[in-house]
Amino acid sequence: FRYSWVLAIAGLGGLLGVLFSVPLRRTMIVEDPLPFPEGKAAAEVLKAGENPGPGLKILAFSAAIGAVRMLQELHLHFDMISTDRDLSAYKLLILPDRIPISRDFAKKLSKYLARGGKLIASHQAGLAEDSDTFALDELGVEYVSESPFQPDFLVPGKELSRDLPRSPHTMYLAGAKVKATAGAKTLAQVQPPYFNRTWRHYCSHAHAPSTGKTAYPGIVRGPGGNTVYFTHPVFTQYYE
């Protein structure tokens, strides 16, 4: 085949894509939002691109899409809401992976939980906007640092062992290193590998095996029993 024809066709296709994206974006995202949840998540990311500072902090594309796909595959009805919405209509809220919390929203969430609501948060979701501390005491965790290992291993505890074997499960994305606070219940533990697989510490497999030693909590149920925190970015990992 002739490379010049292939190059011309590819260039024309790229040009048409750019030209059509401008009116389609205005029609389907700005003026008339997409009707389906996954489309809405993508639309919010595109809107955030207009103001990349706070927008991208509030909504991480991969975590949002991962949560949407997970809920759709479980055949569960759900809404994607903003922080100014009334929370009383919802039995459960999910903060996927990278949702920073303002002081006002933290107070709103505390009231929601006090009235019997439930909350799932993961990785950096729940951290205060202006510090590396969790804005909600109800989560039952204290932030220490990001994990130095990738991957590491999650070992379910007794309460989760009915559905999951009590053996190390590989978590391919690095999580957060946390401490459980007083009254919180650790539902799973993290075991580190012997080392990160790099050119300095080579392993013929994709990663080094688990040391078999518990390092810190992996899943924590809050003191009130109505929150669950995952140290790993589980929604981003599900998306990827």
Side-chain angles (χ1 to χ4, degrees), residues 26-98:
R26 178 178 299 174
T27 301
M28 301 184 70
I29 295 177
V30 178
E31 297 175 355
D32 186 17
L34 296 171
F36 302 107
E38 192 162 337
K40 287 183 180 179
E44 288 299 319
V45 174
L46 291 176
K47 287 181 182 178
E50 299 173 356
N51 185 13
L56 291 181
K57 292 180 181 178
I58 293 174
L59 180 60
F61 175 81
S62 55
I65 298 299
V68 166
R69 288 182 177 174
M70 192 179 295
L71 293 168
Q72 285 179 331
E73 290 170 12
L74 289 170
H75 304 287
L76 297 174
H77 294 285
F78 63 94
D79 293 330
M80 297 187 68
I81 62 175
S82 58
T83 57
D84 58 356
R85 286 280 296 274
D86 179 16
L87 306 180
S88 61
Y90 300 97
K91 295 180 179 180
L92 172 68
L93 297 179
I94 298 176
L95 303 179
D97 298 354
R98 295 178 180 85

Side-chain angles (χ1 to χ4, degrees), residues 1-2 16 18 53 78 85 89 106 113 125 163 180 193 199 207 222 224 233-234:
F1 57 90
R2 297 178 63 181
L16 289 174
V18 172
F78 63 94
R85 286 280 296 274
L113 293 170
D163 302 310
W199 66 274
H207 53 78
V234 290

Side-chain angles (χ1 to χ4, degrees), residues 126-136 143:
L127 290 176
E129 287 183 328
D130 54 357
S131 67
D132 288 336
T133 58
F134 283 102
L136 282 175
Y143 183 82

Side-chain angles (χ1 to χ4, degrees), residues 157 159 180 184-189 216-221:
E159 293 189 39
K185 174 71 173 179
T186 298
L187 302 179
Q189 298 278 3
Y216 48 86
I219 304 175
V220 177
R221 185 171 61 207

